[in-house]
């Protein structure tokens, strides 16, 4: 059985349906946060041209001749992208995206033109959680509702047990 599961996993992994690296290339953030999207090529000659894209066609950042260019950058990224030119020589073309909003969610691609390589990552944006503290009355109501729910669940469980197991002599009142 274990061997069968391993073979199935291996086949899925080889066909790129499952990947151990997928979770490393997925980022979950909330509106207003920042995220650094990694694009590091090790054992690679530094490239002079690197293109960052969102969902394959939206221009995030172009690095042309080793210089970041925002000339053709999509408006949703204006004044929100930071790159690290001092790291380019080390093969690091990562970018930091600031003040995230829902328009920034999607699949980002870092394309190294010299070697025709791509790195992809998925960015998910969630609504910022409500940070207001409940009033004392609301908190008491929440605890009360939770207790009621647990008691109701217990009652239902006991009723089911009594109806299934006739050997039980003492049951919840019917």
């Amino acid at each position: 059985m274990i061997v069968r599961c391993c073979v199935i996993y291996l086949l899925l992994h080889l066909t790129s349906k499952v990947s151990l690296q997928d979770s490393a290339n997925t980022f979950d953030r909330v509106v207003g946060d920042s995220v650094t999207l990694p694009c590091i090529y090790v054992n690679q000659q530094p490239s002079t041209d690197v293109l960052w894209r969102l969902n394959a066609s939206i221009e995030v950042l172009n690095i042309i001749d080793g210089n970041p260019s925002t000339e053709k950058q999509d408006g949703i990224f204006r004044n929100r992208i930071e790159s690290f030119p001092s790291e380019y020589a080390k093969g690091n073309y990562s970018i930091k995206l600031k003040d995230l909003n829902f328009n920034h969610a999607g699949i980002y691609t870092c394309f190294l033109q010299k070697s025709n390589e791509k790195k992809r990552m998925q960015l998910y944006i969630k609504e910022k959680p409500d940070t207001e503290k409940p009033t004392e009355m609301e908190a008491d109501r929440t605890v009360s509702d939770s207790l009621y729910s647990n008691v109701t669940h217990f009652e239902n469980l006991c009723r089911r047990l009594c109806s299934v197991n006739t050997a039980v002599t003492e049951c919840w009142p019917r």
Side-chain angles (χ1 to χ4, degrees):
M1 178 66 175
I2 292 174
V3 172
R4 186 180 304 159
C5 289
C6 290
V7 169
I8 291 170
Y9 175 79
L10 181 61
L11 289 173
L12 288 173
H13 183 71
L14 291 175
T15 60
S16 299
K17 299 293 181 200
V18 174
S19 172
L20 293 175
Q21 288 187 328
D22 283 348
S23 61
N25 295 326
T26 301
F27 301 88
D28 294 305
R29 296 295 187 273
V30 297
V31 172
D33 273 359
S34 295
V35 64
T36 299
L37 300 175
C39 181
I40 301 170
Y41 291 92
V42 262
N43 300 326
Q44 193 69 250
Q45 290 274 348
S47 181
T48 57
D49 296 339
V50 177
L51 308 175
W52 273 95
R53 297 292 181 265
L54 169 61
N55 298 328
S57 62
I58 301 172
E59 292 193 23
V60 179
L61 180 72
N62 293 332
I63 300 170
I64 307 297
D65 294 327
N67 296 307
S69 170
T70 58
E71 187 177 315
K72 296 180 181 179
Q73 183 180 59
D74 192 276
I76 66 170
F77 297 108
R78 292 269 185 240
N79 302 316
R80 294 177 191 250
I81 297 290
E82 181 182 342
S83 68
F84 312 98
S86 63
E87 296 292 312
Y88 296 166
K90 300 173 194 169
N92 183 354
Y93 305 98
S94 303
I95 58 172
K96 182 176 183 179
L97 180 52
K98 301 176 270 188
D99 194 22
L100 295 170
N101 64 47
F102 293 115
N103 293 326
H104 297 124
I107 298 172
Y108 284 80
T109 305
C110 173
F111 179 65
L112 203 70
Q113 283 191 312
K114 185 177 189 177
S115 61
N116 207 25
E117 289 185 62
K118 295 179 184 178
K119 292 191 184 264
R120 290 193 176 118
M121 56 222 75
Q122 177 81 44
L123 176 61
Y124 295 99
I125 308 293
K126 299 176 187 172
E127 184 69 48
K128 199 172 217 170
D130 191 12
T131 56
E132 288 184 29
K133 291 184 180 179
T135 65
E136 192 172 322
M137 182 185 271
E138 290 172 330
D140 288 345
R141 190 178 317 123
T142 302
V143 169
S144 169
D145 290 347
S146 177
L147 286 173
Y148 177 77
S149 174
N150 287 337
V151 168
T152 304
H153 177 69
F154 180 72
E155 286 176 335
N156 290 333
L157 190 61
C158 286
R159 285 189 182 116
R160 273 191 253 137
L161 180 63
C162 289
S163 67
V164 172
N165 190 349
T166 54
V168 175
T169 56
E170 292 183 27
C171 280
W172 193 267
R174 295 178 193 225

